Amino acid sequence: MKAENQALQSAGLRATLPRVRILQMLESIDEERHHLTAEDLYRHLHQAGEDIGLSTVYRVLTQFEQAGLVARHNFDNGHSVFELSSGEEHDHMVCVDTNEIVEFRDPVIERRQHEIAAAHGYDIVGRALVLRVRKRP
């Protein structure tokens, strides 16, 4: 619990019980599944016996996003998904048939994005590359 308290305090947030529990759940779930909706997270908390309402989950996720603890993605399926911010840039592929999300890193793509921005006189301050894919038969 100390690590979560430190992470919250470093992000400028008080370590309230709902924030600590939500951060703990994100950390434990993130090992197996990186992208969760607020409803997914709420369900996991409820199954673990936590009495944290869905509106609190939404509110805390928004606070975490503003503080840089989580990243929010909208992959055109109508739901926002959240993942812990790792500090490492990465991109996503989303299967149009199953909504499976696959993360990938590619240094060539990274370099080209920065080169393109610089060629136009810009520095990248945020980015999102999402490839919509379909499994080959």
Side-chain angles (χ1 to χ4, degrees):
M1 191 155 160
K2 278 189 176 183
E4 288 83 8
N5 288 350
Q6 283 183 320
L8 290 169
Q9 289 172 352
S10 294
L13 297 170
R14 277 189 318 112
T16 64
L17 187 60
R19 287 179 183 152
V20 169
R21 294 293 187 246
I22 290 170
L23 186 55
Q24 288 173 332
M25 186 63 67
L26 281 167
E27 289 170 341
S28 69
I29 291 172
D30 195 57
E31 294 172 5
E32 54 194 63
R33 185 171 168 213
H34 298 283
H35 305 88
L36 298 165
T37 65
E39 292 83 2
D40 292 335
L41 187 55
Y42 169 75
R43 234 180 341 274
H44 284 286
L45 288 162
H46 184 71
Q47 290 169 354
E50 298 293 340
D51 187 26
I52 299 173
L54 183 58
S55 62
T56 300
V57 172
Y58 274 106
R59 186 172 52 256
V60 169
L61 286 172
T62 299
Q63 293 167 349
F64 283 4
E65 178 187 16
Q66 292 170 345
L69 292 172
V70 300
R72 177 191 307 248
H73 303 286
N74 295 301
F75 295 131
D76 291 341
N77 63 0
H79 293 91
S80 293
V81 293
F82 299 85
E83 67 177 328
L84 285 173
S85 294
S86 66
E88 295 180 7
E89 293 290 345
H90 62 275
D91 299 299
H92 299 91
M93 292 186 296
V94 179
C95 178
V96 297
D97 296 323
T98 65
N99 287 325
E100 177 187 10
I101 301 167
V102 178
E103 290 184 357
F104 69 94
R105 289 172 178 74
D106 186 304
V108 174
I109 291 173
E110 282 292 312
R111 189 181 76 250
R112 284 297 295 142
Q113 289 176 353
H114 287 278
E115 289 171 355
I116 292 166
H120 292 276
Y122 293 97
D123 291 320
I124 295 175
V125 295
R127 62 180 199 74
L129 173 63
V130 180
L131 305 175
R132 282 156 188 73
V133 297
R134 178 171 281 132
K135 282 268 192 207
R136 292 181 178 165

